[in-house]
Short mmCIF file of all heavy atoms in Angstrom, two decimals:
data_model
loop_
_atom_site.label_atom_id
_atom_site.label_comp_id
_atom_site.label_asym_id
_atom_site.label_seq_id
_atom_site.Cartn_x
_atom_site.Cartn_y
_atom_site.Cartn_z
N MET A 172 -15.57 6.98 6.35
CA MET A 172 -14.91 6.03 5.48
C MET A 172 -13.46 5.86 5.92
O MET A 172 -12.75 6.83 6.14
CB MET A 172 -14.98 6.53 4.05
CG MET A 172 -14.35 5.61 3.08
SD MET A 172 -14.65 6.26 1.42
CE MET A 172 -14.01 4.96 0.48
N LEU A 173 -13.04 4.65 6.05
CA LEU A 173 -11.67 4.35 6.46
C LEU A 173 -10.72 4.40 5.27
O LEU A 173 -11.05 3.94 4.19
CB LEU A 173 -11.60 2.97 7.11
CG LEU A 173 -12.41 2.81 8.38
CD1 LEU A 173 -12.38 1.34 8.81
CD2 LEU A 173 -11.87 3.69 9.48
N ARG A 174 -9.55 4.95 5.49
CA ARG A 174 -8.52 4.95 4.43
C ARG A 174 -7.80 3.62 4.44
O ARG A 174 -7.55 3.04 5.49
CB ARG A 174 -7.52 6.06 4.70
CG ARG A 174 -8.12 7.43 4.50
CD ARG A 174 -7.07 8.46 4.59
NE ARG A 174 -6.26 8.39 3.37
CZ ARG A 174 -5.30 9.22 3.08
NH1 ARG A 174 -5.00 10.19 3.90
NH2 ARG A 174 -4.62 9.10 1.97
N PRO A 175 -7.42 3.13 3.27
CA PRO A 175 -6.68 1.87 3.25
C PRO A 175 -5.27 2.06 3.81
O PRO A 175 -4.65 3.11 3.66
CB PRO A 175 -6.63 1.50 1.77
CG PRO A 175 -6.83 2.77 1.05
CD PRO A 175 -7.67 3.64 1.93
N ARG A 176 -4.80 1.02 4.45
CA ARG A 176 -3.41 0.93 4.89
C ARG A 176 -2.76 -0.11 3.99
O ARG A 176 -3.43 -0.99 3.47
CB ARG A 176 -3.35 0.51 6.35
CG ARG A 176 -3.94 1.58 7.27
CD ARG A 176 -4.22 1.07 8.66
NE ARG A 176 -3.08 0.42 9.29
CZ ARG A 176 -3.19 -0.33 10.38
NH1 ARG A 176 -4.36 -0.54 10.95
NH2 ARG A 176 -2.13 -0.90 10.90
N PHE A 177 -1.46 -0.01 3.80
CA PHE A 177 -0.77 -0.91 2.89
C PHE A 177 0.21 -1.77 3.67
O PHE A 177 0.96 -1.27 4.51
CB PHE A 177 -0.06 -0.12 1.79
CG PHE A 177 -1.03 0.65 0.95
CD1 PHE A 177 -1.39 1.94 1.28
CD2 PHE A 177 -1.62 0.07 -0.15
CE1 PHE A 177 -2.30 2.65 0.51
CE2 PHE A 177 -2.54 0.76 -0.93
CZ PHE A 177 -2.88 2.05 -0.58
N PHE A 178 0.21 -3.06 3.36
CA PHE A 178 1.05 -4.04 4.04
C PHE A 178 1.79 -4.88 3.01
O PHE A 178 1.20 -5.24 1.99
CB PHE A 178 0.20 -4.96 4.92
CG PHE A 178 -0.62 -4.22 5.93
CD1 PHE A 178 -1.90 -3.79 5.63
CD2 PHE A 178 -0.10 -3.91 7.17
CE1 PHE A 178 -2.67 -3.10 6.55
CE2 PHE A 178 -0.85 -3.21 8.10
CZ PHE A 178 -2.13 -2.80 7.79
N ALA A 179 3.04 -5.20 3.28
CA ALA A 179 3.83 -6.05 2.39
C ALA A 179 4.20 -7.32 3.13
O ALA A 179 4.56 -7.30 4.31
CB ALA A 179 5.09 -5.33 1.94
N CYS A 180 4.13 -8.44 2.42
CA CYS A 180 4.53 -9.73 2.98
C CYS A 180 6.06 -9.78 3.04
O CYS A 180 6.73 -9.47 2.05
CB CYS A 180 3.99 -10.86 2.11
SG CYS A 180 4.53 -12.49 2.66
N ASP A 181 6.59 -10.18 4.18
CA ASP A 181 8.04 -10.27 4.34
C ASP A 181 8.65 -11.44 3.56
O ASP A 181 9.84 -11.43 3.27
CB ASP A 181 8.40 -10.39 5.82
CG ASP A 181 8.03 -9.14 6.60
OD1 ASP A 181 7.96 -8.05 6.00
OD2 ASP A 181 7.82 -9.25 7.83
N ARG A 182 7.85 -12.42 3.20
CA ARG A 182 8.36 -13.59 2.47
C ARG A 182 8.27 -13.43 0.95
O ARG A 182 9.25 -13.64 0.24
CB ARG A 182 7.62 -14.85 2.88
CG ARG A 182 8.20 -16.09 2.19
CD ARG A 182 7.39 -17.35 2.41
NE ARG A 182 7.34 -17.70 3.82
CZ ARG A 182 6.51 -18.60 4.31
NH1 ARG A 182 5.65 -19.23 3.53
NH2 ARG A 182 6.50 -18.87 5.58
N CYS A 183 7.10 -13.05 0.43
CA CYS A 183 6.91 -13.05 -1.03
C CYS A 183 6.71 -11.66 -1.63
O CYS A 183 6.50 -11.54 -2.83
CB CYS A 183 5.75 -13.96 -1.41
SG CYS A 183 4.13 -13.32 -0.95
N ASP A 184 6.76 -10.61 -0.81
CA ASP A 184 6.64 -9.21 -1.25
C ASP A 184 5.28 -8.85 -1.86
O ASP A 184 5.16 -7.85 -2.55
CB ASP A 184 7.75 -8.84 -2.24
CG ASP A 184 9.11 -8.85 -1.60
OD1 ASP A 184 9.20 -8.54 -0.40
OD2 ASP A 184 10.08 -9.17 -2.29
N THR A 185 4.25 -9.65 -1.61
CA THR A 185 2.90 -9.29 -2.04
C THR A 185 2.44 -8.09 -1.21
O THR A 185 2.72 -8.01 -0.02
CB THR A 185 1.93 -10.47 -1.83
OG1 THR A 185 2.40 -11.57 -2.59
CG2 THR A 185 0.52 -10.12 -2.24
N VAL A 186 1.75 -7.15 -1.84
CA VAL A 186 1.26 -5.96 -1.14
C VAL A 186 -0.26 -6.02 -1.02
O VAL A 186 -0.95 -6.37 -1.98
CB VAL A 186 1.69 -4.67 -1.88
CG1 VAL A 186 1.09 -3.44 -1.24
CG2 VAL A 186 3.21 -4.57 -1.91
N PHE A 187 -0.77 -5.69 0.15
CA PHE A 187 -2.20 -5.69 0.43
C PHE A 187 -2.64 -4.29 0.82
O PHE A 187 -1.90 -3.56 1.48
CB PHE A 187 -2.51 -6.62 1.61
CG PHE A 187 -2.12 -8.04 1.38
CD1 PHE A 187 -0.88 -8.50 1.78
CD2 PHE A 187 -2.99 -8.91 0.76
CE1 PHE A 187 -0.51 -9.81 1.56
CE2 PHE A 187 -2.63 -10.22 0.53
CZ PHE A 187 -1.38 -10.67 0.93
N ALA A 188 -3.85 -3.90 0.43
CA ALA A 188 -4.46 -2.64 0.86
C ALA A 188 -5.72 -2.99 1.63
O ALA A 188 -6.62 -3.65 1.10
CB ALA A 188 -4.79 -1.78 -0.34
N ASP A 189 -5.78 -2.57 2.88
CA ASP A 189 -6.91 -2.91 3.73
C ASP A 189 -6.94 -1.92 4.90
O ASP A 189 -5.88 -1.48 5.33
CB ASP A 189 -6.73 -4.34 4.26
CG ASP A 189 -8.02 -4.95 4.73
OD1 ASP A 189 -8.61 -4.43 5.69
OD2 ASP A 189 -8.45 -5.95 4.15
N PRO A 190 -8.11 -1.57 5.43
CA PRO A 190 -8.14 -0.68 6.59
C PRO A 190 -7.54 -1.34 7.84
O PRO A 190 -7.02 -0.66 8.71
CB PRO A 190 -9.62 -0.40 6.81
CG PRO A 190 -10.32 -0.83 5.58
CD PRO A 190 -9.44 -1.81 4.89
N GLU A 191 -7.58 -2.66 7.93
CA GLU A 191 -7.04 -3.40 9.08
C GLU A 191 -5.91 -4.32 8.62
O GLU A 191 -5.88 -4.77 7.48
CB GLU A 191 -8.14 -4.25 9.71
CG GLU A 191 -9.31 -3.45 10.25
CD GLU A 191 -8.92 -2.59 11.43
OE1 GLU A 191 -8.06 -3.01 12.24
OE2 GLU A 191 -9.46 -1.48 11.55
N ARG A 192 -4.99 -4.63 9.52
CA ARG A 192 -3.88 -5.54 9.21
C ARG A 192 -4.43 -6.94 8.93
O ARG A 192 -5.11 -7.52 9.78
CB ARG A 192 -2.90 -5.60 10.37
CG ARG A 192 -1.73 -6.55 10.12
CD ARG A 192 -0.82 -6.66 11.33
NE ARG A 192 -0.21 -5.38 11.63
CZ ARG A 192 0.94 -4.95 11.10
NH1 ARG A 192 1.58 -5.70 10.26
NH2 ARG A 192 1.41 -3.78 11.43
N PRO A 193 -4.13 -7.52 7.75
CA PRO A 193 -4.55 -8.90 7.48
C PRO A 193 -3.82 -9.86 8.43
O PRO A 193 -2.68 -9.61 8.81
CB PRO A 193 -4.10 -9.13 6.03
CG PRO A 193 -3.87 -7.78 5.46
CD PRO A 193 -3.48 -6.91 6.59
N PRO A 194 -4.45 -10.97 8.80
CA PRO A 194 -3.82 -11.90 9.73
C PRO A 194 -2.67 -12.69 9.11
O PRO A 194 -1.80 -13.19 9.82
CB PRO A 194 -4.95 -12.82 10.16
CG PRO A 194 -5.96 -12.72 9.06
CD PRO A 194 -5.81 -11.35 8.47
N TYR A 195 -2.66 -12.81 7.78
CA TYR A 195 -1.61 -13.55 7.08
C TYR A 195 -1.64 -13.19 5.60
O TYR A 195 -2.60 -12.59 5.12
CB TYR A 195 -1.79 -15.07 7.25
CG TYR A 195 -3.13 -15.55 6.77
CD1 TYR A 195 -3.33 -15.90 5.44
CD2 TYR A 195 -4.22 -15.65 7.64
CE1 TYR A 195 -4.57 -16.33 4.99
CE2 TYR A 195 -5.45 -16.07 7.20
CZ TYR A 195 -5.62 -16.41 5.87
OH TYR A 195 -6.85 -16.83 5.42
N CYS A 196 -0.61 -13.57 4.87
CA CYS A 196 -0.53 -13.31 3.44
C CYS A 196 -1.44 -14.29 2.69
O CYS A 196 -1.36 -15.50 2.90
CB CYS A 196 0.91 -13.47 2.97
SG CYS A 196 1.12 -13.32 1.17
N ASP A 197 -2.27 -13.76 1.82
CA ASP A 197 -3.16 -14.62 1.03
C ASP A 197 -2.40 -15.44 -0.01
O ASP A 197 -2.88 -16.45 -0.47
CB ASP A 197 -4.22 -13.78 0.30
CG ASP A 197 -5.27 -13.23 1.24
OD1 ASP A 197 -5.44 -13.78 2.35
OD2 ASP A 197 -5.93 -12.25 0.86
N SER A 198 -1.21 -14.99 -0.39
CA SER A 198 -0.44 -15.68 -1.42
C SER A 198 0.38 -16.85 -0.88
O SER A 198 0.41 -17.92 -1.48
CB SER A 198 0.51 -14.71 -2.12
OG SER A 198 -0.23 -13.74 -2.81
N CYS A 199 1.07 -16.63 0.26
CA CYS A 199 1.96 -17.69 0.75
C CYS A 199 1.66 -18.14 2.18
O CYS A 199 2.27 -19.09 2.66
CB CYS A 199 3.42 -17.23 0.64
SG CYS A 199 3.88 -15.92 1.81
N GLY A 200 0.75 -17.46 2.88
CA GLY A 200 0.38 -17.86 4.24
C GLY A 200 1.27 -17.30 5.33
O GLY A 200 1.05 -17.58 6.51
N GLU A 201 2.25 -16.50 4.99
CA GLU A 201 3.18 -15.91 5.97
C GLU A 201 2.42 -14.97 6.91
O GLU A 201 1.66 -14.10 6.46
CB GLU A 201 4.26 -15.12 5.23
CG GLU A 201 5.20 -14.36 6.11
CD GLU A 201 6.11 -15.25 6.96
OE1 GLU A 201 6.41 -16.38 6.54
OE2 GLU A 201 6.50 -14.79 8.03
N PRO A 202 2.62 -15.12 8.24
CA PRO A 202 1.94 -14.22 9.18
C PRO A 202 2.66 -12.88 9.38
O PRO A 202 2.09 -11.96 9.96
CB PRO A 202 1.90 -15.02 10.47
CG PRO A 202 3.07 -15.93 10.38
CD PRO A 202 3.25 -16.23 8.91
N SER A 203 3.89 -12.75 8.91
CA SER A 203 4.66 -11.52 9.12
C SER A 203 4.42 -10.54 7.98
O SER A 203 4.98 -10.67 6.90
CB SER A 203 6.16 -11.84 9.20
OG SER A 203 6.42 -12.68 10.28
N LEU A 204 3.59 -9.54 8.25
CA LEU A 204 3.32 -8.49 7.28
C LEU A 204 3.82 -7.17 7.86
O LEU A 204 3.65 -6.89 9.04
CB LEU A 204 1.83 -8.38 6.99
CG LEU A 204 1.18 -9.64 6.41
CD1 LEU A 204 -0.32 -9.42 6.26
CD2 LEU A 204 1.79 -10.01 5.08
N THR A 205 4.45 -6.35 7.02
CA THR A 205 4.99 -5.08 7.45
C THR A 205 4.16 -3.95 6.85
O THR A 205 3.90 -3.94 5.65
CB THR A 205 6.45 -4.92 6.96
OG1 THR A 205 7.21 -6.02 7.47
CG2 THR A 205 7.05 -3.62 7.42
N GLU A 206 3.75 -3.00 7.71
CA GLU A 206 2.98 -1.88 7.19
C GLU A 206 3.91 -0.94 6.43
O GLU A 206 4.95 -0.54 6.94
CB GLU A 206 2.26 -1.12 8.30
CG GLU A 206 1.37 -0.02 7.74
CD GLU A 206 0.40 0.56 8.74
OE1 GLU A 206 0.40 0.14 9.90
OE2 GLU A 206 -0.36 1.44 8.33
N ILE A 207 3.53 -0.59 5.19
CA ILE A 207 4.36 0.28 4.35
C ILE A 207 3.61 1.56 3.96
O ILE A 207 4.05 2.27 3.06
CB ILE A 207 4.84 -0.47 3.10
CG1 ILE A 207 3.66 -0.95 2.26
CG2 ILE A 207 5.77 -1.61 3.47
CD1 ILE A 207 4.05 -1.47 0.90
N THR A 208 2.52 1.86 4.63
CA THR A 208 1.69 3.01 4.26
C THR A 208 2.50 4.30 4.18
O THR A 208 2.42 5.03 3.21
CB THR A 208 0.54 3.18 5.26
OG1 THR A 208 -0.20 1.96 5.32
CG2 THR A 208 -0.39 4.31 4.86
N ARG A 209 3.30 4.60 5.18
CA ARG A 209 4.08 5.85 5.19
C ARG A 209 5.16 5.86 4.12
O ARG A 209 5.51 6.91 3.60
CB ARG A 209 4.70 6.06 6.56
CG ARG A 209 3.67 6.33 7.62
CD ARG A 209 4.32 6.50 8.98
NE ARG A 209 3.34 6.42 10.01
CZ ARG A 209 3.08 7.41 10.85
NH1 ARG A 209 3.75 8.53 10.77
NH2 ARG A 209 2.17 7.27 11.76
N ALA A 210 5.69 4.72 3.77
CA ALA A 210 6.74 4.64 2.76
C ALA A 210 6.23 4.97 1.36
O ALA A 210 7.01 5.28 0.47
CB ALA A 210 7.38 3.26 2.77
N LEU A 211 4.94 4.90 1.16
CA LEU A 211 4.37 5.15 -0.16
C LEU A 211 4.18 6.63 -0.44
O LEU A 211 3.73 7.00 -1.51
CB LEU A 211 3.03 4.42 -0.31
CG LEU A 211 3.11 2.91 -0.20
CD1 LEU A 211 1.73 2.31 -0.32
CD2 LEU A 211 4.03 2.34 -1.24
N GLN A 212 4.48 7.49 0.51
CA GLN A 212 4.38 8.95 0.36
C GLN A 212 2.97 9.39 0.02
O GLN A 212 2.76 10.18 -0.90
CB GLN A 212 5.39 9.46 -0.65
CG GLN A 212 6.79 9.14 -0.26
CD GLN A 212 7.78 9.59 -1.30
OE1 GLN A 212 7.43 10.06 -2.36
NE2 GLN A 212 9.04 9.44 -1.00
N ALA A 213 2.02 8.86 0.72
CA ALA A 213 0.61 9.25 0.60
C ALA A 213 0.10 9.12 -0.84
O ALA A 213 0.47 8.22 -1.56
CB ALA A 213 0.40 10.64 1.15
N ASP A 214 -0.77 10.02 -1.25
CA ASP A 214 -1.45 9.91 -2.54
C ASP A 214 -0.53 10.13 -3.73
O ASP A 214 -0.82 9.66 -4.82
CB ASP A 214 -2.60 10.89 -2.61
CG ASP A 214 -3.67 10.58 -1.57
OD1 ASP A 214 -3.77 9.41 -1.18
OD2 ASP A 214 -4.39 11.51 -1.17
N ARG A 215 0.58 10.84 -3.56
CA ARG A 215 1.48 11.11 -4.68
C ARG A 215 2.02 9.83 -5.31
O ARG A 215 2.34 9.80 -6.49
CB ARG A 215 2.65 11.96 -4.23
CG ARG A 215 2.25 13.37 -3.90
CD ARG A 215 3.42 14.24 -3.59
NE ARG A 215 4.67 13.52 -3.50
CZ ARG A 215 5.76 14.00 -2.96
NH1 ARG A 215 5.76 15.20 -2.44
NH2 ARG A 215 6.87 13.30 -2.93
N TYR A 216 2.15 8.77 -4.53
CA TYR A 216 2.66 7.50 -5.04
C TYR A 216 1.74 6.94 -6.12
O TYR A 216 2.19 6.30 -7.06
CB TYR A 216 2.80 6.51 -3.89
CG TYR A 216 3.36 5.18 -4.30
CD1 TYR A 216 4.73 4.99 -4.40
CD2 TYR A 216 2.53 4.10 -4.57
CE1 TYR A 216 5.26 3.77 -4.77
CE2 TYR A 216 3.05 2.87 -4.94
CZ TYR A 216 4.41 2.71 -5.04
OH TYR A 216 4.92 1.51 -5.40
N PHE A 217 0.43 7.17 -5.99
CA PHE A 217 -0.55 6.56 -6.87
C PHE A 217 -1.11 7.47 -7.95
O PHE A 217 -1.93 7.06 -8.74
CB PHE A 217 -1.72 6.03 -6.03
CG PHE A 217 -1.30 4.90 -5.15
CD1 PHE A 217 -1.03 5.11 -3.81
CD2 PHE A 217 -1.15 3.62 -5.65
CE1 PHE A 217 -0.63 4.09 -2.99
CE2 PHE A 217 -0.75 2.58 -4.85
CZ PHE A 217 -0.49 2.82 -3.52
N THR A 218 -0.72 8.72 -7.96
CA THR A 218 -1.26 9.64 -8.95
C THR A 218 -0.21 10.04 -9.96
O THR A 218 0.98 10.11 -9.65
CB THR A 218 -1.82 10.91 -8.28
OG1 THR A 218 -0.79 11.52 -7.53
CG2 THR A 218 -2.99 10.59 -7.39
N ARG A 219 -0.65 10.30 -11.18
CA ARG A 219 0.25 10.75 -12.23
C ARG A 219 0.64 12.19 -11.98
O ARG A 219 -0.15 12.98 -11.45
CB ARG A 219 -0.43 10.70 -13.59
CG ARG A 219 -0.67 9.34 -14.10
CD ARG A 219 -1.12 9.41 -15.53
NE ARG A 219 -2.11 10.45 -15.73
CZ ARG A 219 -3.10 10.37 -16.58
NH1 ARG A 219 -3.26 9.29 -17.29
NH2 ARG A 219 -3.97 11.34 -16.72
N ALA A 220 1.82 12.52 -12.40
CA ALA A 220 2.22 13.93 -12.34
C ALA A 220 1.42 14.69 -13.39
O ALA A 220 1.19 14.20 -14.49
CB ALA A 220 3.72 14.04 -12.64
N GLU A 221 1.01 15.87 -13.04
CA GLU A 221 0.24 16.68 -13.99
C GLU A 221 1.16 17.17 -15.08
O GLU A 221 2.30 17.54 -14.84
CB GLU A 221 -0.40 17.87 -13.28
CG GLU A 221 -1.52 17.47 -12.36
CD GLU A 221 -2.21 18.69 -11.80
OE1 GLU A 221 -2.28 19.71 -12.50
OE2 GLU A 221 -2.66 18.61 -10.66
N THR A 222 0.66 17.14 -16.29
CA THR A 222 1.45 17.65 -17.41
C THR A 222 0.97 19.06 -17.74
O THR A 222 -0.22 19.37 -17.62
CB THR A 222 1.30 16.76 -18.65
OG1 THR A 222 -0.08 16.67 -18.98
CG2 THR A 222 1.87 15.37 -18.38
N ARG A 223 1.88 19.89 -18.15
CA ARG A 223 1.52 21.27 -18.48
C ARG A 223 0.88 21.31 -19.85
O ARG A 223 1.31 20.64 -20.79
CB ARG A 223 2.76 22.15 -18.49
CG ARG A 223 3.32 22.37 -17.14
CD ARG A 223 4.43 23.36 -17.22
NE ARG A 223 4.90 23.63 -15.87
CZ ARG A 223 5.89 24.44 -15.62
NH1 ARG A 223 6.51 25.07 -16.58
NH2 ARG A 223 6.27 24.64 -14.38
N ARG A 224 -0.13 22.12 -19.96
CA ARG A 224 -0.80 22.32 -21.25
C ARG A 224 -0.16 23.52 -21.93
O ARG A 224 0.17 24.50 -21.30
CB ARG A 224 -2.28 22.55 -21.06
CG ARG A 224 -2.96 21.33 -20.51
CD ARG A 224 -4.41 21.58 -20.40
NE ARG A 224 -5.04 20.44 -19.75
CZ ARG A 224 -6.34 20.25 -19.74
NH1 ARG A 224 -7.13 21.11 -20.32
NH2 ARG A 224 -6.85 19.21 -19.15
N ARG A 225 -0.01 23.42 -23.22
CA ARG A 225 0.58 24.51 -23.98
C ARG A 225 -0.45 25.48 -24.47
O ARG A 225 -1.52 25.25 -24.74
CB ARG A 225 1.35 23.99 -25.17
CG ARG A 225 2.53 23.19 -24.71
CD ARG A 225 3.28 22.72 -25.91
NE ARG A 225 4.35 21.85 -25.46
CZ ARG A 225 5.24 21.36 -26.23
NH1 ARG A 225 5.22 21.63 -27.51
NH2 ARG A 225 6.17 20.59 -25.77
#
């Protein structure tokens, strides 16, 4: 199973998750997409912090 990679549109800031680089932005048609996968700090970006139980 392929892990998703994350790309942001340089024009409208729409973010895409896909295993492969999309050819253009679905929102505005811009061909310049920047990969931001590493900037998201892996899975910690998408998961809640665990709360301590008393």
Side-chain angles (χ1 to χ4, degrees):
M172 180 175 187
L173 297 173
R174 291 188 73 175
R176 294 165 52 195
F177 298 90
F178 303 90
C180 176
D181 294 335
R182 183 187 299 167
C183 71
D184 294 328
T185 300
V186 175
F187 300 93
D189 200 296
E191 299 293 325
R192 179 183 297 272
Y195 57 87
C196 175
D197 288 339
S198 295
C199 70
E201 175 68 28
S203 298
L204 300 176
T205 303
E206 185 167 0
I207 60 170
T208 304
R209 293 178 194 241
L211 299 178
Q212 301 177 355
D214 296 334
R215 290 186 353 196
Y216 182 84
F217 293 100
T218 57
R219 289 190 316 214
E221 290 186 32
T222 57
R223 290 186 177 179
R224 294 182 185 194
R225 294 181 185 185

